[in-house]
Amino acid sequence: MTTRRPIIAGNWKMNLGVAEGVALASEIRNRCSRFRDIDVVVAPAATSLYPVAQRLADSPIGVAAQNCHAEDKGAFTGELSPVQLADVGCRYVIVGHSERRALFGETDEGVGKKARALHDHGLIPIVCVGESLAEREAGETLDVVLRQLDAGLAGLQPDEIVRTVVAYEPVWAIGTGRTATPAQAQDVHAALRKRIAELASPAVADKVRLQYGGSVKPDNIAALMAQPDIDGALVGGASLTADSFARIVAYENKDA
Ligand code: 13P
């Protein structure tokens, strides 16, 4: 049994307008606030961060941005800094999502810089790692995810690593309906935790929360969460309705 506090986050990606996002946040608040033994996080599009954070201000549900820049301010047209994200009420920021790596040129080193900058401003990075299907089939899964992990955590002190969340999202499982089996996910999570023990210490590794992401649904969450090194989930499509997201959050409560 793990003593780590589970953390389930919904990544809304580039979906929902302000009114829709606030309505979804309200419903999630109503359905999920009673679960006190789990951290629940929503990651709206940037345009909805402020109103959603306002709506959730008096609730235990946290707000995450989906990306950030590593600098505090300056001539970076179109970007948002950790300072600005903290200012609108974010507590977390997703960095290194595979869509940003594949489609927007995000590098391992850049992800590490963002994680460093987020801790400088008291925000919690959710550092994403994950292999493509070609990499998995070539037997390179652990090489890829450990390289991404090393770079993502490179600039952090042990106490910062403890607060960092790492999300393992195999690219071939994202939006495909093809979830990694609990055993496949557990194997990678165990390797990630072992590496954190080497980078920091076994005590640090024991505290870091590792999420799984990739086609997480109400009917597969319990089996994933039953794995010893899976401490939560980063949910895409199934986080866009309050009902499916709340059922994922309530994975231990059959009556929810
Ligand atoms: P899906 O749950 O839609 O597969 O998306 C996973 C994801 O990318 C979350 O960040």
Side-chain angles (χ1 to χ4, degrees):
M1 277 300 282
T2 174
T3 54
R4 292 177 291 273
R5 186 176 164 83
I7 175 165
I8 301 219
N11 176 6
W12 298 355
K13 306 192 180 183
M14 197 173 72
N15 294 295
L16 308 180
V18 171
E20 294 166 316
V22 170
L24 177 57
S26 297
E27 272 194 84
I28 289 172
R29 188 181 75 163
N30 292 342
R31 295 271 304 256
C32 298
S33 294
R34 67 194 172 95
F35 299 117
R36 296 281 165 184
D37 299 329
I38 184 167
D39 287 336
V40 179
V41 178
V42 294
T47 47
S48 297
L49 286 170
Y50 182 67
V52 165
Q54 292 282 300
R55 191 74 189 85
L56 296 176
D58 58 350
S59 86
I61 297 169
V63 175
Q66 300 173 13
N67 180 36
C68 70
H69 196 278
E71 299 293 329
D72 290 0
K73 63 179 177 174
F76 301 103
T77 301
E79 294 291 309
L80 294 169
S81 75
V83 180
Q84 292 173 310
L85 296 173
D87 185 42
V88 296
C90 292
R91 213 181 301 159
Y92 304 82
V93 180
I94 299 168
V95 291
H97 191 281
S98 66
E99 287 149 16
R100 297 217 55 86
R101 292 178 190 264
L103 304 173
F104 303 101
E106 186 122 19
T107 63
D108 293 343
E109 193 197 4
V111 174
K113 283 190 180 147
K114 292 178 181 189
R116 174 67 264 152
L118 289 166
H119 279 292
D120 286 340
H121 296 288
L123 291 161
I124 299 173
I126 300 177
V127 175
C128 300
V129 302
E131 83 287 3
S132 67
L133 184 58
E135 288 162 342
R136 174 161 282 264
E137 287 176 345
E140 294 168 359
T141 297
L142 293 186
D143 290 346
V144 170
V145 299
L146 296 178
R147 185 198 75 221
Q148 293 171 336
L149 181 76
D150 288 354
L153 304 184
L156 306 184
Q157 299 299 316
D159 63 313
E160 294 165 334
I161 294 177
V162 166
R163 292 197 298 278
T164 301
V165 176
V166 176
Y168 168 55
E169 297 204 307
V171 177
W172 47 271
I174 295 177
T176 59
R178 187 178 161 194
T179 322
T181 65
Q184 280 175 322
Q186 166 58 27
D187 283 351
V188 175
H189 281 230
L192 292 169
R193 198 176 303 286
K194 181 162 171 274
R195 182 64 140 245
I196 296 168
E198 290 158 10
L199 293 172
S201 72
V204 167
D206 195 48
K207 294 195 182 99
V208 176
R209 295 181 296 175
L210 305 180
Q211 294 178 314
Y212 167 78
S215 298
V216 173
K217 305 278 185 266
D219 64 2
N220 60 27
I221 181 69
L224 290 160
M225 292 301 287
Q227 300 298 312
D229 288 298
I230 299 183
D231 310 310
L234 186 53
V235 185
S239 72
L240 291 172
T241 66
D243 186 61
S244 59
F245 188 63
R247 282 161 56 212
I248 290 170
V249 169
Y251 66 95
E252 283 183 319
N253 299 265
K254 301 275 178 277
D255 60 334

